[in-house]
Amino acid sequence: MAFIRRNLTQKLGNTIETFAAAYLSGARQCGKSTMVSHIASWLPEAALDNANYLTFDTSTIRTAAKRDPDAFISGLPKDRLNIIDEIQRVPAVHLLIKKAVDECRLIGRGKALFLLTGSANIFGLPLLAKAMVGRMAVLTLYPFSAAETKGVDRNFVEKLWSDNLAAKSYKRADLVNVIKNATFPEIALNKNMDRSVWMDSYLDTIFDRDAAEFAKIRKPELVYQLLVSLSSRAGNLINNEGIMKETGLNQGTYEKYKSFCNATFLTFEIQPWAKPNKLNKRFVKSKKIYFTDTNLLCFLMRRDILEVYKKDPSLMGHLFENFIASEIMKSISVLPGKFYVSHFNPVRGDGNETDFVIEKDNGETIAVEVKLDSSLDDNDFRNLELCRDTIGNKFKKGIVLYTGENLVPFGDKLWAVPINYIWE
């Protein structure tokens, strides 16, 4: 299978060279193992070219680490970068990695010691997170972005901040194929792969390994039931009571299973926007739910995206919004510094919500509205106008991402931006 250099590569390389340890998290099959196995090609220092790679997906290695975790960690080479894949599968080594890092620091070697990868969000590994505070940087790798599938080193969120937008025309995008390709590497690169079979196997692996082994979930089939329920709500405010009623889950089980879906990168939630000086006074308190991969979302809905595009524009609008949500998360994961993504919803049900608000630490803000339309008018910018006027001088730009061909201004700090801008 072809290797595509990921846009996170440079950030991960810089992180390894400046931190004692790095944790590369991300969904199963998103390319973490492939990325770190090519480490010699993108880490320049010769000392790191001989990295020591181990994976806890190999039963012999996993069994050895579980049987005597102290001896396992002590036996790792001290003069190399030790890469341990799927670290969540052996929790017993987490504190011992901290001990090894601290011992190396005492002798003046406190960088490039461990690169850990895992299919669980760091918040799903509290022991590792607590043990490695101040010692470890955390990065997230997502499935392919649209730019990566085009072979382009482009970060559209970064460009939105730095670009002085100017009127421009683009060719009409083949939206369906763009979404189909912005997915897990194995099915993106193998056009002959039966995607339904792959997705079935993918979910089985998560339920058999992560649900049972990592999260101690006794009935993983109920997680699938929850995912199906969430799939019909992608891009909507989360109605916890409605979902619990539909799935028959009690509150404790529901919260545990929903957290598991987020921790394993099947889904993610976007917070409501809040004024910086009034963090407890959000306009609407409900989060929105999205799926990390839009193709997996279609699979859970048992819908073909081309058929949806041709015959169900309302549903396609939700899929388009989910795609943009995932592209935003992919983009900010590569950037230095901290970014916050929220949705702007002043009053529930009044129709004035803006899909995405992206903020920097300094409060600078870009707002993004998503429209599955090839042409726009003034009404399509009313939500952005309210968002702009509410946020004030920290508001840098508001864009409507749409499926048309022309990038044009639509008022003060407002732009109509074709979807092609993401990768061209």
Side-chain angles (χ1 to χ4, degrees), residues 58-292:
T58 300
S59 60
T60 302
I61 295 173
R62 185 172 67 254
T63 302
K66 286 182 175 180
R67 180 169 184 172
D68 193 341
D70 200 355
F72 181 85
I73 297 299
S74 298
L76 295 176
K78 304 293 191 293
D79 59 345
R80 299 185 191 179
L81 173 70
N82 287 289
I83 303 171
I84 305 178
D85 209 354
E86 298 299 342
I87 190 68
Q88 81 279 356
R89 301 200 70 183
V90 188
V93 304
H94 295 177
L95 284 173
L96 296 170
I97 291 174
K98 169 188 177 294
K99 179 183 174 184
V101 167
D102 290 345
E103 288 173 352
C104 286
R105 280 178 160 183
L106 287 175
I107 60 174
R109 184 167 182 263
K111 297 178 182 178
L113 303 175
F114 289 94
L115 171 55
L116 313 174
T117 82
S119 302
N121 185 309
I122 189 62
F123 298 111
L125 302 173
L127 186 62
L128 180 63
K130 185 177 180 180
M132 298 299 288
V133 169
R135 301 168 178 83
M136 182 173 73
V138 179
L139 292 81
T140 301
L141 182 69
Y142 288 90
F144 282 156
S145 67
E148 286 172 329
T149 65
K150 301 285 186 180
V152 177
D153 182 14
R154 176 176 176 81
N155 189 299
F156 87 96
V157 171
E158 181 181 36
K159 282 289 187 181
L160 279 175
W161 248 284
S162 59
D163 267 7
N164 292 318
L165 294 177
K168 181 179 178 180
S169 294
Y170 293 84
K171 286 182 64 177
R172 184 70 60 87
D174 183 354
L175 181 61
V176 169
N177 278 322
V178 168
I179 295 176
K180 289 180 72 172
N181 290 331
T183 187
F184 298 98
E186 188 170 14
I187 53 176
L189 297 173
N190 186 347
K191 305 304 181 185
N192 296 320
M193 180 78 68
D194 186 319
R195 291 192 169 208
S196 293
V197 173
W198 191 94
M199 291 289 184
D200 259 329
S201 176
Y202 179 76
L203 290 175
D204 283 345
T205 300
I206 290 175
F207 297 151
D208 291 344
R209 289 189 187 179
D210 298 327
E213 181 181 304
F214 156 61
K216 310 301 182 188
I217 291 174
R218 291 178 296 174
K219 295 182 177 181
E221 66 275 9
L222 296 181
V223 179
Y224 179 82
Q225 186 176 324
L226 174 61
L227 285 169
V228 172
S229 180
L230 293 173
S231 71
S232 66
R233 295 167 167 84
N236 292 329
L237 298 176
I238 301 174
N239 181 345
N240 294 317
E241 290 184 2
I243 299 170
M244 285 187 285
K245 183 176 180 181
E246 182 173 285
T247 58
L249 300 173
N250 63 42
Q251 184 169 356
T253 303
Y254 165 69
E255 292 293 346
K256 179 180 180 179
Y257 289 6
K258 183 159 68 75
S259 295
F260 171 77
C261 293
N262 291 332
T264 51
F265 300 96
L266 294 169
T267 58
F268 61 95
E269 297 172 11
I270 290 184
Q271 299 272 359
W273 182 83
K275 291 184 178 181
N277 60 340
K278 295 182 179 180
L279 293 178
N280 295 322
K281 296 184 179 178
R282 302 185 187 277
F283 290 167
V284 168
K285 294 184 179 181
S286 298
K287 302 174 185 177
K288 280 188 171 185
I289 188 75
Y290 292 97
F291 281 72
T292 300

Side-chain angles (χ1 to χ4, degrees), residues 2-19:
F3 172 69
I4 292 181
R5 181 181 171 90
R6 306 302 299 273
N7 290 345
L8 187 65
T9 297
Q10 182 176 352
K11 183 176 181 179
L12 178 58
N14 293 339
T15 301
I16 290 171
E17 293 177 338
T18 54
F19 280 81

Side-chain angles (χ1 to χ4, degrees), residues 8 11 138-140 142 145 154-158 161 268 270 324-342 357-360:
L8 187 65
K11 183 176 181 179
V138 179
L139 292 81
T140 301
Y142 288 90
S145 67
R154 176 176 176 81
N155 189 299
F156 87 96
V157 171
E158 181 181 36
W161 248 284
F268 61 95
I270 290 184
I324 297 301
S326 66
E327 288 292 306
I328 289 172
M329 301 307 289
K330 293 169 188 176
S331 291
I332 66 174
S333 71
V334 176
L335 295 175
K338 184 69 175 176
F339 289 78
Y340 306 89
V341 182
S342 57
V357 174
I358 310 170
E359 293 177 88
K360 288 184 177 181

